[in-house]
Amino acid sequence: MDADIAVVRSYFLDFQSEIVKTLEHLDGGATFSMERIETPNGGFSQPRVLVNGKILEKAAVQFTYSLGKRLPPAASATRPHLSGKSFAATAISTIVHPCNPNIPTTHLNLRMFVVDADPKVWYFGGGFDLTPYLPYEEDFVEWHKFARQACTTDEQYKVLKNQCDEYFFLPHRDECRGIGGLFFDDYVSGGFDKSFQFVVDVGKNFLDGYSSIVQRRRNTEWSLEEEDWMLVRRGRYAEFNLAIDRGTKYGIQSGRRIESVLASLPPRAKWVYGHEIPHDSPQERLMTYLNPGIDWLNLVDNSVNIEES
Amino acid sequence: MDADIAVVRSYFLDFQSEIVKTLEHLDGGATFSMERIETPNGGFSQPRVLVNGKILEKAAVQFTYSLGKRLPPAASATRPHLSGKSFAATAISTIVHPCNPNIPTTHLNLRMFVVDADPKVWYFGGGFDLTPYLPYEEDFVEWHKFARQACTTDEQYKVLKNQCDEYFFLPHRDECRGIGGLFFDDYVSGGFDKSFQFVVDVGKNFLDGYSSIVQRRRNTEWSLEEEDWMLVRRGRYAEFNLAIDRGTKYGIQSGRRIESVLASLPPRAKWVYGHEIPHDSPQERLMTYLNPGIDWLNLVDNSVNIEES
């Protein structure tokens, strides 16, 4: 099939409904808002947000379809010569901030660009990642098994997993935002049909992987100390999104609808000067996981500590 | 007197003690921590932080003296040809996040650079600004009277006041961070003695001005709704500091001690998707003050609403 953004857009709209339904079911109480915002040139977006659920403190599932006169340089990492050309883009993004620190925060983005060059240029981008607050190694291994499953080969998983570690990194903290997942840009591998199928598989494995973790941890009780730790870690999340993330930066600078751009920010966050992590604590153990290069699918002795020498 | 960074450094150290004493007195309970951090080349810093006071939720008063091999481009707004040269710098900064939304957040920065050019180049920079949560017009007018008092002429006040409005602006929100104050860079006006005296006057008027507001508002009770609003506004403060502020950006990129760089972040903050301000509320009135170009010292009919047409 020829590259067709209408097909992808329609899939993203359906997938938005599916994510919304799944998250509402997982929460078991709260529901998502529904807005449709149209732009004069034929683009439209559908931000859907859930707040103050029993399980989810805030979740945003956003669909966008946009037509632009000039492709921003940030929209293609490897083909700067495309910037400035007119384009169409469609994307879906998801961010979930749970109430319970036993459940990780997660993030998904899938997008397709079609640029009016001669010949036409199209590509996909996106990925997913997980930001846990407590060290459940089995969850992290499982998450990466889903990531591997979304890929065609071990090699592809490794490349996209490393790109994810690299992207979601806070240099000023010398730590990863979370335990990673997949990250890809300028993706055209094997033609449109295969690329699109890959994007569909990434979405499916994201939703299956996150659902599995939420179901496993939703009934685990937590202490105020653990919640406090989650708020401190959410401060790091805000640091990444506001100071480092290219997408947010682009959104802030380009005058996109700011509530949509910043819907990823945590509902609550804390900054504690000189925050210290107790020795031999779960928090300390979590930090050993927030490093790039951990080979989740081949942990020696089932422990990442081995990897860190 | 010749430009002498040792004199300024010594004044900044004394002034740090004075600010600390004043804020401890205003809080009436909590005390500041004391650290001294030395660098191998002879620089040192003294971050002092107070947390969980009765009046002040977090305050950071930081002194630094540093010797650098290459002046970063961000260190001089108007003289890019100096960047890359070796330099000495000394600075003092203060940030106060109160518990009580009737009391504004405030920020002061004073700094001196001496650059090893031939002949030597020195200059001051700094300023102060106020970020209120509730609309006390009399406080804002008084604050700007102190700002005017720190200046030598009406004209100087106007220029530095406008620079402050311009700098502390969130383009993605189309609002100022607060009601402003003074902002200056590459300041050498009238030689070293006069410039240094100006910097001293800025510091003095900052401390007098803020003390006056804290004393007036410290016993005013507040509602949970007002505290919630303060947390939302603090989210904007974090947005400015992380996504826009040049100083923070420089600190994050240059590998400076990150706890010091980010000590300005609010202890707690909130982000509420599509947050709506009640009609005809104090919050709505506050927003009319967060605009550039308000002529605080000549309000017509004692109301800024006049200015907005």
Side-chain angles (χ1 to χ4, degrees):
Chain A
M1 176 158 78
D2 278 352
D4 189 346
I5 197 165
V7 172
V8 176
R9 182 181 64 191
S10 155
Y11 162 71
F12 282 173
L13 277 168
D14 289 347
F15 189 44
Q16 183 187 34
S17 300
E18 194 187 336
I19 298 173
V20 160
K21 214 185 297 171
T22 305
L23 292 176
E24 284 180 349
H25 177 75
L26 286 171
D27 189 71
T31 55
F32 277 84
S33 65
M34 174 65 181
E35 290 169 274
R36 185 181 159 110
I37 300 161
E38 313 213 346
T39 58
N41 65 1
F44 69 101
S45 65
Q46 277 186 190
R48 304 197 65 176
V49 178
L50 175 157
V51 290
N52 299 328
K54 275 192 296 185
I55 303 289
L56 310 179
E57 191 171 330
K58 180 184 184 183
V61 184
Q62 304 193 70
F63 165 88
T64 54
Y65 172 64
S66 52
L67 299 162
K69 284 197 174 142
R70 303 174 63 80
L71 188 74
S76 168
T78 58
R79 283 174 291 189
H81 59 279
L82 294 179
S83 81
K85 296 194 188 295
S86 64
F87 68 100
T90 185
I92 183 164
S93 74
T94 298
I95 181 103
V96 185
H97 290 289
C99 310
N100 181 341
N102 292 290
I103 304 174
T105 283
T106 195
H107 162 252
L108 162 81
N109 183 279
L110 299 172
R111 57 188 180 269
M112 181 196 191
F113 280 87
V114 178
V115 185
D116 290 328
D118 186 19
K120 241 174 208 183
V121 172
W122 60 268
Y123 54 91
F124 290 98
F128 57 67
D129 65 293
L130 193 74
T131 307
Y133 302 103
L134 291 167
Y136 291 110
E137 195 171 289
E138 60 180 295
D139 293 358
F140 311 160
V141 170
E142 185 193 63
W143 178 257
H144 277 274
K145 282 184 181 159
F146 279 103
R148 167 63 189 88
Q149 204 166 277
C151 297
T152 321
T153 62
D154 284 346
E155 186 49 33
Q156 183 188 30
Y157 161 74
K158 271 183 207 163
V159 170
L160 306 191
K161 185 264 186 202
N162 286 340
Q163 284 177 188
C164 191
D165 284 352
E166 219 169 277
Y167 185 81
F168 293 103
F169 187 75
L170 288 77
H172 60 288
R173 300 289 190 180
D174 193 25
E175 64 191 34
C176 291
R177 184 170 84 169
I179 60 109
L182 302 173
F183 184 92
F184 55 101
D185 207 350
D186 298 287
Y187 191 92
V188 294
S189 186
F192 176 74
D193 288 359
K194 281 194 178 164
S195 299
F196 182 30
Q197 186 58 51
F198 168 67
V199 166
V200 170
D201 289 344
V202 169
K204 185 185 176 333
N205 281 283
F206 161 78
L207 202 51
D208 290 349
Y210 192 61
S211 299
S212 171
I213 294 175
V214 175
Q215 264 148 355
R216 188 176 307 123
R217 303 297 166 199
R218 56 178 294 149
N219 296 319
T220 307
E221 301 208 343
W222 70 94
S223 66
L224 271 180
E225 190 198 342
E226 287 168 332
E227 183 164 334
D228 221 58
W229 166 246
M230 176 173 75
L231 298 183
V232 169
R233 297 303 308 165
R234 282 188 185 168
R236 304 291 170 95
Y237 207 88
E239 285 174 27
F240 181 85
N241 288 19
L242 289 169
I244 296 169
D245 185 52
R246 287 199 299 266
T248 309
K249 224 176 256 182
Y250 165 65
I252 284 180
Q253 288 166 0
S254 68
R256 273 190 56 211
R257 180 173 177 270
I258 199 65
E259 284 302 318
S260 301
V261 172
L262 298 184
S264 65
L265 289 173
R268 294 177 294 154
K270 267 194 169 187
W271 280 274
V272 177
Y273 177 79
H275 182 268
E276 281 181 22
I277 295 173
H279 205 57
D280 270 336
S281 63
Q283 290 87 331
E284 190 179 71
R285 200 143 54 84
L286 178 84
M287 296 311 296
T288 67
Y289 297 102
L290 306 188
N291 281 302
I294 297 174
D295 186 0
W296 292 101
L297 304 185
N298 298 290
L299 292 186
V300 179
D301 289 340
N302 203 32
S303 164
V304 293
N305 296 319
I306 305 289
E307 311 287 315
E308 292 193 295
S309 60
Chain B
M1 176 158 79
D2 278 353
D4 188 348
I5 198 166
V7 172
V8 176
R9 183 180 64 191
S10 156
Y11 162 71
F12 282 173
L13 277 169
D14 289 347
F15 189 45
Q16 183 186 35
S17 300
E18 194 187 335
I19 298 174
V20 160
K21 215 185 299 171
T22 303
L23 292 176
E24 283 180 349
H25 176 75
L26 286 171
D27 188 71
T31 54
F32 277 83
S33 65
M34 174 67 182
E35 290 169 274
R36 186 181 159 110
I37 300 161
E38 313 212 345
T39 57
N41 65 1
F44 68 103
S45 65
Q46 278 186 189
R48 305 197 64 177
V49 177
L50 174 158
V51 290
N52 299 329
K54 275 191 299 184
I55 302 291
L56 310 179
E57 191 170 329
K58 179 184 185 183
V61 184
Q62 304 193 70
F63 165 88
T64 54
Y65 172 65
S66 52
L67 300 161
K69 284 200 174 139
R70 303 174 63 81
L71 189 73
S76 168
T78 60
R79 283 173 291 188
H81 59 281
L82 295 179
S83 80
K85 297 193 188 296
S86 65
F87 68 99
T90 185
I92 183 166
S93 74
T94 298
I95 181 102
V96 185
H97 290 290
C99 309
N100 182 341
N102 293 290
I103 303 175
T105 283
T106 196
H107 162 253
L108 162 82
N109 183 280
L110 299 172
R111 56 188 181 268
M112 183 194 189
F113 280 86
V114 179
V115 185
D116 291 328
D118 187 19
K120 240 175 208 184
V121 172
W122 59 268
Y123 55 91
F124 290 98
F128 57 66
D129 65 291
L130 193 75
T131 305
Y133 302 104
L134 291 166
Y136 291 109
E137 195 172 288
E138 61 181 296
D139 293 358
F140 311 160
V141 170
E142 186 193 61
W143 177 257
H144 277 274
K145 282 184 181 159
F146 278 103
R148 167 63 190 86
Q149 204 166 278
C151 298
T152 321
T153 63
D154 285 345
E155 187 48 33
Q156 184 189 29
Y157 161 74
K158 272 182 207 163
V159 170
L160 305 192
K161 185 262 185 203
N162 285 340
Q163 284 177 187
C164 191
D165 285 352
E166 218 168 277
Y167 185 81
F168 294 102
F169 187 77
L170 288 78
H172 60 289
R173 298 289 189 180
D174 193 26
E175 64 191 33
C176 292
R177 185 170 83 168
I179 61 108
L182 301 174
F183 184 90
F184 55 101
D185 208 348
D186 299 286
Y187 192 90
V188 295
S189 185
F192 176 73
D193 288 359
K194 281 192 177 165
S195 299
F196 182 29
Q197 185 58 51
F198 169 67
V199 166
V200 171
D201 289 343
V202 169
K204 186 186 174 335
N205 280 283
F206 161 79
L207 203 52
D208 290 350
Y210 192 60
S211 300
S212 171
I213 294 176
V214 175
Q215 263 147 355
R216 189 177 305 123
R217 304 296 166 199
R218 56 178 294 150
N219 296 320
T220 306
E221 301 206 343
W222 70 93
S223 65
L224 270 180
E225 191 198 341
E226 287 167 334
E227 183 164 334
D228 221 59
W229 166 245
M230 176 173 74
L231 297 182
V232 169
R233 297 304 308 167
R234 281 188 185 168
R236 305 290 169 94
Y237 206 88
E239 285 175 26
F240 180 86
N241 288 20
L242 289 168
I244 297 170
D245 185 52
R246 288 199 298 265
T248 309
K249 224 175 258 181
Y250 166 65
I252 283 180
Q253 290 166 359
S254 67
R256 275 190 54 212
R257 180 171 177 270
I258 200 64
E259 284 302 317
S260 301
V261 172
L262 297 184
S264 65
L265 290 173
R268 293 177 295 154
K270 267 194 167 186
W271 279 275
V272 177
Y273 177 78
H275 182 267
E276 279 181 23
I277 295 173
H279 205 57
D280 270 336
S281 63
Q283 289 87 330
E284 190 179 72
R285 199 142 56 81
L286 178 85
M287 296 311 295
T288 67
Y289 296 102
L290 306 188
N291 282 302
I294 297 173
D295 186 1
W296 292 101
L297 303 185
N298 298 289
L299 292 186
V300 178
D301 289 341
N302 204 32
S303 163
V304 293
N305 296 319
I306 304 290
E307 311 286 313
E308 292 194 297
S309 60

